[in-house]
Amino acid sequence: MARKSRTAVLKRQREVKKAEKAAMKREKRLTRESATPVADRVATADDLEGYGFTEDESIESPDAPPSAISRRTRDSPPT
């Protein structure tokens, strides 16, 4: 029986390791995608309050003057 060369054994080990790593990445990605549904990423009212937004600020009446952000975007020249 012929002896196996060391390089052939090492090559096979590298290929197996690479395939295992790819399988682990696929599994992690699948668990991440299934664990975080899209609907859960929407901010709640409590989250918005934590960021400093209140319900009064988010709703502008039609006769109210535009906010500073909308004035800035309206007055700026197109790029």
Side-chain angles (χ1 to χ4, degrees), residues 33-78:
E33 288 175 357
S34 65
T36 311
V38 175
D40 288 346
R41 291 191 227 158
V42 177
T44 63
D46 292 335
D47 294 335
L48 293 175
E49 284 182 26
Y51 290 122
F53 294 105
T54 60
E55 200 170 312
D56 300 334
E57 294 174 359
S58 62
I59 301 172
E60 291 185 17
S61 63
D63 57 333
S67 65
I69 294 172
S70 62
R71 277 193 309 258
R72 201 173 328 135
T73 56
R74 186 184 65 215
D75 295 339
S76 62

